[in-house]
Amino acid sequence: MARIPEPVPTPQGPAYEGRLLDRPDEEVVDQGIAFDLTTLMSRRGVVRLMGLGTGAAVLAACSPSASTTTASSAASGSLTEIPDETAGPYPGDGSNGPDVLEESGIVRRDIRTSIAGGDPVPGVPLDFTFTVLDMANGGVPMVGAAVYAWHCSAAGLYSMYSDGVTDETWLRGVQVTDDNGEVTFTSVMPGCYTGRWTHIHFEVYPSVDDIEDSSKAIATSQMAFPQNVLDTVYEQSDYDGSAGNLAQITLASDNVFGDDSGVHQMGAFKGGVDAGYTSTLTVPIDTTTEPTAGTMAGGGGGGAPGGDRPEGGPGGDGGEPPSAPPS
């Protein structure tokens, strides 16, 4: 008789095979086709689909899936380290030109304005939370770590780099993990620009005292966004051009998330365009391993060879931040 698999408790709720349960009050085998299909597609290559048997696995693989919540990638009992990714050409951490991490005021929750003030950038509201776990110590919350997050605007522009906004510092900020290993940022949903799936960049540092030296980052990665959420957001006027750019790429073809379609970097989203969205992502970090990407990997932060400020280009490490809203 097949054994009913047991979920693993995490700081965000019960999880199985690295993903939060869509229905936390029900057993793993009752999570639905969408959850089953994602299990089949995970990098573990799981074909034992929760003891349901080969026939049910084939049925799940052939069935359409739809879900308003896409789960993140943590499981306390069998953690998978967050994949190392490029910081892209536009990190703003001093590894490729400007350095926002030297500025007073960079430690902040609300990143919708520049540090010096001004109007908030337009876009659908988003509060996103990262839960940083210390794999070297049994997956406990990593307390006191500094997380630097940055992303493009609804128009696909990066502050400090894109034409016309080089003097701005919006959509960049640092938070320090609390006793639960959590940091939360108040922002807006990013747009989609040419050559990249929608994402948020982040770097993790041992402490806030380390952020002025980008080489001290212990992890560099990106959070991915689920298509069903993006399709709704990109109907809004602030995101003109994003729907067309998204249609030209998939998670599987993206040069960052393509290794596993972002299964270990996919945020769990709730909400809607009117009230805004909340998202969560669990970020397990193994400090006993050396980072293989970001500024630790090549010193250029994913920018052009030699660390020169890139002009950008579709399909490059960071894609192209448009000099004007995408059309």
Side-chain angles (χ1 to χ4, degrees):
M1 183 173 182
R3 180 180 63 86
I4 300 293
E6 293 293 331
V8 177
T10 78
Q12 295 172 295
Y16 180 74
E17 293 294 345
R19 286 166 298 108
L20 296 177
L21 300 188
D22 291 340
R23 304 169 186 171
D25 295 327
E26 298 181 24
E27 294 192 346
V28 173
V29 294
D30 295 323
Q31 296 302 304
I33 291 296
F35 188 89
D36 297 347
L37 180 58
T38 307
T39 297
L40 283 173
M41 295 173 63
S42 73
R43 72 168 56 173
R44 294 179 178 85
V46 180
V47 185
R48 50 191 165 89
L49 190 57
M50 302 173 240
L52 294 180
T54 305
V58 172
L59 175 61
C62 296
S63 301
S65 62
S67 175
T68 58
T69 301
T70 301
S72 61
S73 59
S76 180
S78 60
L79 291 172
T80 297
E81 186 172 17
I82 193 75
D84 288 327
E85 305 291 6
T86 176
Y90 318 107
D93 62 2
S95 64
N96 196 28
D99 191 351
V100 74
L101 299 180
E102 293 182 341
E103 296 198 23
S104 174
I106 187 59
V107 179
R108 57 186 184 147
R109 172 176 173 139
D110 192 335
I111 60 175
R112 294 174 297 177
T113 66
S114 290
I115 294 174
D119 295 331
V121 293
V124 173
L126 169 66
D127 278 2
F128 61 95
T129 297
F130 296 143
T131 301
V132 184
L133 302 180
D134 185 355
M135 296 177 67
N137 289 296
V140 299
M142 187 175 288
V143 180
V147 180
Y148 167 44
W150 72 98
H151 64 87
C152 72
S153 67
L157 308 180
Y158 279 94
S159 66
M160 307 180 77
Y161 290 90
S162 296
D163 290 348
V165 296
T166 55
D167 293 331
E168 303 291 346
T169 54
W170 34 250
L171 304 183
R172 299 178 183 272
V174 172
Q175 285 279 277
V176 177
T177 56
D178 61 16
D179 289 344
N180 296 317
E182 294 183 353
V183 295
T184 298
F185 295 88
T186 296
S187 191
V188 298
M189 295 286 288
C192 181
Y193 53 87
T194 305
R196 280 302 318 277
W197 189 265
T198 308
H199 59 282
I200 289 178
H201 293 269
F202 61 93
E203 294 173 336
V204 182
Y205 292 82
S207 74
V208 73
D209 294 332
D210 297 309
I211 64 174
E212 292 186 13
D213 183 351
S214 61
S215 69
K216 292 184 178 180
I218 55 177
T220 302
S221 196
Q222 301 178 26
M223 179 177 78
F225 287 67
Q227 182 165 359
N228 60 327
V229 170
L230 295 177
D231 287 342
T232 301
V233 170
Y234 290 165
E235 293 175 353
Q236 311 307 305
S237 59
D238 288 330
Y239 296 88
D240 183 31
S242 284
N245 290 334
L246 188 69
Q248 299 175 28
I249 195 167
T250 66
L251 278 163
S253 66
D254 184 74
N255 61 0
V256 169
F257 301 127
D259 288 345
D260 59 5
S261 294
V263 67
H264 294 287
Q265 294 155 275
M266 183 63 68
F269 282 75
K270 295 182 179 180
V273 294
D274 294 330
Y277 289 88
T278 61
S279 72
T280 57
L281 178 69
T282 304
V283 181
I285 297 176
D286 186 353
T287 55
T288 66
T289 62
E290 183 176 353
T292 58
T295 56
M296 294 288 286
D308 295 333
R309 177 175 168 180
E311 297 178 355
D317 280 346
E320 177 185 4
S323 58
S327 58

